[in-house]
Amino acid sequence: MLRGLIFDVDETLVYYEGYTLKRWYDEVGRPTMEKLGVVLDWETFRKIVRGELSRKYVEHFGIEHVKFWKAMDRANRVYRERLLSEGRIRPFPDVEALRELKKLDLKLATVSNASQDNTELVLKAFDLDRYFDVILGKDYLYLDGVKPNPYLIRKALNALSLNPEEVFIVGDSSNDILAGKNAGIKTVNVIRFERVPGADYYVRDLWELVEIVKGALHAPTDR
């Protein structure tokens, strides 16, 4: 029986006006790396973010990888604060559906590849944190545990005291869908910008998700 939902945050619950990863790399990432004495070219950086290269790759340049990524996250914090002050981070209109989902007595969590600090910053800016029992950002003890690795999803399951078969994961990207599959969880693709192959369910907005959840809650169970 369905007892919980795990949500992605960026581009699933909130969106960034004018943001692309390449633009972030040019405006924030590369200048921060230069201060650290490390410069990853765009293609290498993209591969690390997508999980094609380990985050420990930066140690080839003589810097401890946790130190490197913490510095990048601090720079990202400043960037996000600026976007918030400019009104360029906004919640999707359908996040009001979270209130309806909470009424269904479900446990809710968010799992983000952003840092804990940056994830909480954005959720709190729009009072979305009140809907979630668990909020998880990337773990500095295991930086390669970000999606599509199932590590953070399993961490959320443990925190919620739920089993994989009791949960759906909801996200906009292939990383979300793959992470769910890797964790043995049913997946819901919110089609914000693209339809991701392989999801169990597809919805155009979170109100459609509410209907799918209600159907799952009322579905007969095998005895």
Side-chain angles (χ1 to χ4, degrees):
M1 179 178 177
L2 182 65
R3 296 179 57 202
L5 298 169
I6 298 175
F7 286 84
D8 173 53
V9 178
D10 296 335
E11 313 302 345
T12 295
L13 302 178
V14 301
Y15 66 96
Y16 296 68
E17 189 177 278
Y19 169 88
T20 66
L21 181 60
K22 181 61 165 64
R23 181 172 179 176
W24 186 93
Y25 168 85
D26 290 334
E27 294 183 3
V28 181
R30 186 181 180 92
T32 302
M33 286 187 272
E34 288 174 347
K35 291 178 182 178
L36 295 169
V38 176
V39 176
L40 304 176
D41 63 78
W42 159 243
E43 195 58 33
T44 300
F45 180 77
R46 186 191 66 81
K47 287 180 179 179
I48 291 175
V49 171
R50 290 177 60 87
E52 296 171 22
L53 285 174
S54 169
R55 278 163 169 72
K56 290 184 178 180
Y57 181 86
V58 298
E59 296 192 352
H60 287 90
F61 299 89
I63 186 169
E64 201 273 326
H65 76 287
V66 174
K67 177 182 178 181
F68 176 88
W69 292 107
K70 282 185 175 181
M72 296 290 278
D73 288 333
R74 286 193 296 270
N76 195 21
R77 169 84 184 203
V78 173
Y79 175 75
R80 288 182 179 219
E81 288 175 340
R82 175 167 62 83
L83 292 189
L84 282 168
S85 69
E86 295 171 354
R88 292 170 56 198
I89 303 178
R90 300 176 185 176
F92 285 102
D94 56 312
V95 295
E96 288 297 318
L98 292 171
R99 181 182 292 113
E100 189 68 23
L101 291 168
K102 285 297 288 185
K103 291 179 183 177
L104 298 175
D105 198 29
L106 294 167
K107 294 182 179 181
L108 303 185
T110 64
V111 168
S112 175
N113 283 359
S115 69
Q116 185 77 27
D117 183 49
N118 285 326
T119 300
E120 291 179 1
L121 170 71
V122 171
L123 291 173
K124 288 178 179 178
F126 303 106
D127 201 24
L128 298 180
D129 57 309
R130 63 193 168 112
Y131 294 116
F132 297 102
D133 304 287
V134 173
I135 296 171
L136 292 179
K138 65 186 174 190
D139 187 342
Y140 289 116
L141 296 177
Y142 181 35
L143 284 172
D144 286 329
V146 293
K147 298 173 289 185
N149 188 305
Y151 171 78
L152 289 175
I153 305 301
R154 290 172 178 156
K155 190 174 177 180
L157 289 173
N158 288 335
L160 294 171
S161 298
L162 296 178
N163 297 315
E165 62 270 18
E166 297 175 310
V167 176
F168 290 171
I169 182 170
V170 183
D172 70 292
S173 74
S174 59
N175 276 350
D176 302 315
I177 303 308
L178 286 171
K181 294 293 184 184
N182 290 336
I185 294 176
K186 285 191 175 179
T187 57
V188 182
N189 176 207
V190 185
I191 308 173
R192 297 301 195 191
F193 305 103
E194 62 175 335
R195 183 183 176 96
V196 178
D200 294 291
Y201 302 97
Y202 294 92
V203 297
R204 289 171 295 182
D205 57 40
L206 298 184
W207 291 111
E208 287 190 4
L209 172 66
V210 171
E211 296 309 308
I212 287 176
V213 167
K214 286 180 177 178
L217 290 172
H218 294 116
T221 56
D222 295 331
R223 294 187 182 274

